[in-house]
Amino acid sequence: AVLMPIPMSSYLEQELEKRFNLLKLWTVPNKTQFIKDHSASIRAIVGNASAGADAELIAALPKLEIVSSFSVGIDKVDLKTCKEKGIRVTNTPDVLTDDVADLAIGLTLAVLRRLCESDRYVRSGQWKEGDYKLTTKFTGKTVGIIGLGRIGKAVAKRAEAFSCPIAYFSRTEKPDLKFKYYPSVVELAANCDVLVVACPLTEETRHIINREVINALGPKGVLINVGRGPHVDEPELVSALVEGRLGGAGLDVYEKEPEVPEELFALENVVLLPHVGSGTVETRSTMADLVIGNLEAHFLKKPLLTPVV
Ligand code: 8YV
């Protein structure tokens, strides 16, 4: 059987049901009892960015062989325990890169050009009362990127088309790239106008955006987060925005989704999205096919398509 802890895509559910005995954990009243009752048959988990496989769930499933995640980020999977127990882990890289990078640029334009605010201005009839205020130019601004992996590179490619100088921080300098490297996030933040978080969430990158980084980005700087909520010290971000120490923010992710700090709701220099970076019809169905492809490869004893562990 394949265990799905939470709903993530009706297409994925349908396709899984055609091939496997799919157990939908969210539909049962007593989850702990249900897992106990089915522990002898569950060989796979399909997780995502919100629900993966922690040590407790893995311990409850002695027959678990594979965790196939409907996400590129696998911070909700206990990789160490999986490695130790020989449990395979797969994710959905590449197929969502374009969408997430598109969204990072969209958020940047939305914050700088005040797209959401000016849409509200038109809808509320305020246009009749006078001209809309001026906004901030994006073309030519320096874009700093944290994490120059697949998504970070795709953001850089798009920002280059807006004539933006690119700078980045990552664990190691990438000498084959012509972008300016900063060995610290604070230095990167001090030297860019728009700072994009595009790295995986790990122990090292948790709260990589802290008070010092936010202050270095400054009252004209804009933070864009298409990574994970815990990359940012959220109370620090909120107080910086409320106090005007940071210019603006475009956020797709939050520390305790779906909770979003209500102080942000009143701020016009902030654009808030409900974790939709990969959320297009096209990409979500390709991600679902990849999740299934990995499960099928595993059970047919073929090489996994996108293995992490
Ligand atoms: C999804 C994501 O939002 O790929 C990731 O890491 O965060 C997303 O693509 C999510 O897993 C879809 O349910």
Side-chain angles (χ1 to χ4, degrees):
V2 174
L3 179 73
M4 211 180 198
I6 58 168
M8 39 195 97
S9 147
S10 47
Y11 168 73
L12 175 59
E13 281 170 41
Q14 254 171 47
E15 294 303 308
L16 285 168
E17 273 166 342
K18 283 184 197 164
R19 295 162 173 85
F20 307 100
N21 174 19
L22 180 65
L23 305 177
K24 302 179 186 178
L25 192 57
W26 70 94
T27 64
V28 305
N30 187 337
K31 298 186 173 68
T32 316
Q33 190 57 45
F34 183 85
I35 287 172
K36 255 188 207 153
D37 293 345
H38 292 86
S39 63
S41 70
I42 296 170
R43 296 168 65 194
I45 293 175
V46 169
N48 73 354
S50 323
D54 57 16
E56 197 191 340
L57 181 59
I58 296 170
L61 299 173
K63 302 287 179 200
L64 185 64
E65 296 169 24
I66 181 167
V67 180
S68 182
S69 192
F70 184 62
S71 65
V72 66
I74 26 96
D75 46 282
K76 285 275 164 39
V77 181
D78 187 330
L79 295 179
K80 192 170 160 273
T81 305
C82 288
K83 263 179 218 156
E84 281 164 11
K85 298 200 164 200
I87 297 164
R88 305 300 308 272
V89 179
T90 64
N91 65 345
T92 59
D94 301 312
V95 296
L96 47 66
T97 299
D98 287 335
D99 281 358
V100 179
D102 289 353
L103 199 83
I105 299 297
L107 271 173
T108 305
L109 284 167
V111 173
L112 291 176
R113 301 303 305 271
R114 304 279 177 123
L115 299 183
C116 304
E117 183 186 352
S118 54
D119 176 86
R120 290 191 285 268
Y121 177 84
V122 172
R123 286 173 198 242
S124 64
Q126 283 172 279
W127 194 10
K128 297 190 185 76
E129 290 155 29
D131 279 344
Y132 192 61
K133 66 181 175 212
L134 300 181
T135 61
T136 304
K137 181 169 177 145
F138 174 47
T139 291
K141 291 289 187 297
T142 299
V143 173
I145 302 172
I146 301 179
L148 213 61
R150 301 177 186 91
I151 293 170
K153 280 184 189 143
V155 171
K157 182 179 170 190
R158 285 155 177 74
E160 278 192 299
F162 288 87
S163 307
C164 296
I166 311 292
Y168 71 102
F169 165 82
S170 62
R171 274 170 302 177
T172 52
E173 186 171 0
K174 300 178 193 292
D176 49 320
L177 295 172
K178 55 192 181 307
F179 309 137
K180 170 104 182 105
Y181 174 72
Y182 288 98
S184 89
V185 181
V186 176
E187 276 178 79
L188 175 66
N191 288 286
C192 69
D193 303 300
V194 177
L195 183 60
V196 181
V197 182
C199 58
L201 178 64
T202 63
E203 273 320 305
E204 294 86 64
T205 64
R206 185 173 301 270
H207 286 190
I208 197 165
I209 305 295
N210 55 26
R211 187 181 179 90
E212 204 190 346
V213 171
I214 292 168
N215 285 339
L217 192 53
K220 290 195 158 159
V222 169
L223 178 73
I224 302 295
N225 192 1
V226 291
R228 285 287 184 262
H231 280 130
V232 177
D233 184 333
E234 207 164 71
E236 284 293 347
L237 174 66
V238 170
S239 61
L241 286 163
V242 169
E243 292 161 23
R245 280 184 287 115
L246 183 65
L251 309 173
D252 189 38
V253 289
Y254 309 86
E255 280 208 278
K256 295 190 187 77
E257 293 171 14
E259 302 298 328
V260 177
E262 282 186 25
E263 296 99 309
L264 299 179
F265 295 175
L267 304 179
E268 293 289 14
N269 54 342
V270 173
V271 174
L272 306 168
L273 302 183
H275 199 146
V276 290
S278 69
T280 65
V281 174
E282 295 89 337
T283 292
R284 287 284 168 85
S285 85
T286 315
M287 287 165 66
D289 292 338
L290 192 48
V291 165
I292 290 162
N294 275 304
L295 290 175
E296 287 184 329
H298 173 75
F299 289 118
L300 292 170
K301 299 197 169 13
K302 288 186 181 161
L304 300 179
L305 306 178
T306 48
V308 180
V309 174

